[in-house]
Amino acid sequence: MTTFQRPVTLITGATGGIGTALARALAGTHDLILQGRGGERLDALCMEVGGTPLGLDLTQPETFAPVLSALDRVTNVVHNAGVVELGAVAQQEHPAWTHTLAVNVVAPAELTRRLLPRVRAERGTVVFVNSGAGLRANPGWASYAASKFALRALADALREEEAGHGVRVCTVYPGRTATPMQQSVRAQEGGAYQPDAYIAPETVAATLQFMLEAPRDAVLTDVTVRPGVR
């Protein structure tokens, strides 16, 4: 008789709006590894959902190896963490570009590379939480959009490379979502934050959950989620 093992799902940016909603949605059916910088919010979320905290600074991928070496099984990886700093190309200096690309692209690439042997062994799924900015770059969004275009390229290449290993690679492109990041964006844009006008993080989380749990005869390669008609 085969003993059923629950999937082990690692979520980056777990204390953000979408990350927290996904952790709550998966609690009870997945064993969760929740990445953050540590602190009370991460500890409280782990206690709430029964998750294991993973303290990683995504700006320092050279520190990943010793932390990740302590992990056992990993079935799925959800790259949810991200940063955004708006600014025109003529005004935004290189530290903003470096920081944005490090967190949004380099960290997911390195985290994926180090976890792939475990994910392959489980025939698991890697999900990249992208953005509408990964499909179209608007004025003032160059550094963020560039990072998300690059994240799309990472996912597309990885999908082809890992198909033979049974690893599914998915990307979701949410529109504006009612999260603390969106609140920060609206402040940078000088506009009001109106959460009722945006997608609920629980809706994006439900989409991610389906990507992870879809039958093995399908892979949802690219899914765009936009605010509905109210």
Side-chain angles (χ1 to χ4, degrees):
M1 179 180 295
T2 301
T3 301
F4 173 75
Q5 289 185 301
R6 298 201 307 186
V8 179
T9 299
L10 189 155
I11 304 170
T12 70
T15 57
I18 294 173
T20 295
L22 180 60
R24 289 170 174 162
L26 299 181
T29 57
H30 292 233
D31 291 333
L32 299 173
I33 302 171
L34 304 179
Q35 180 275 331
R37 285 195 169 190
E40 294 181 1
R41 288 176 60 195
L42 183 61
D43 290 342
L45 179 62
C46 287
M47 182 173 295
E48 176 188 345
V49 301
T52 299
L54 182 69
L56 282 181
D57 183 347
L58 298 183
T59 67
Q60 298 182 26
E62 68 277 8
T63 66
F64 290 1
V67 179
L68 298 178
S69 66
L71 299 181
D72 186 14
R73 295 174 53 229
V74 177
T75 313
N76 308 307
V77 181
V78 180
H79 294 290
N80 169 69
V83 294
V84 57
E85 183 176 341
L86 303 186
V89 174
Q91 299 169 344
Q92 199 165 55
E93 298 181 357
H94 68 85
W97 283 84
T98 300
H99 179 68
T100 299
L101 290 166
V103 174
N104 293 0
V105 186
V106 178
E110 179 65 3
L111 192 59
T112 298
R113 183 179 75 87
R114 293 199 173 274
L115 292 175
L116 264 178
R118 297 176 176 88
V119 178
R120 286 172 177 171
E122 303 264 331
R123 293 177 61 84
T125 302
V126 180
V127 180
F128 295 89
V129 179
N130 203 295
S131 165
L135 299 171
R136 176 177 176 174
N138 290 315
W141 289 77
S143 61
Y144 181 70
S147 74
K148 292 300 187 177
F149 271 65
L151 191 67
R152 178 184 178 186
L154 169 60
D156 289 349
L158 182 69
R159 182 179 303 113
E160 298 299 321
E161 293 169 0
E162 294 302 314
H165 296 285
V167 175
R168 300 190 293 188
V169 179
C170 313
T171 296
V172 63
Y173 300 89
R176 292 191 182 240
T177 305
T179 64
M181 176 182 280
Q182 187 59 229
Q183 189 170 10
S184 171
V185 166
R186 292 302 291 143
Q188 293 179 61
E189 292 176 324
Y193 174 65
Q194 298 176 309
D196 290 345
Y198 309 133
I199 306 166
E202 291 78 12
T203 300
V204 179
T207 304
L208 295 170
Q209 182 175 11
F210 182 74
M211 288 174 145
L212 293 171
E213 298 178 350
R216 287 293 311 180
D217 62 345
V219 54
L220 285 77
T221 58
D222 298 274
V223 176
T224 300
V225 183
R226 291 287 178 263
V229 177
R230 297 176 186 270

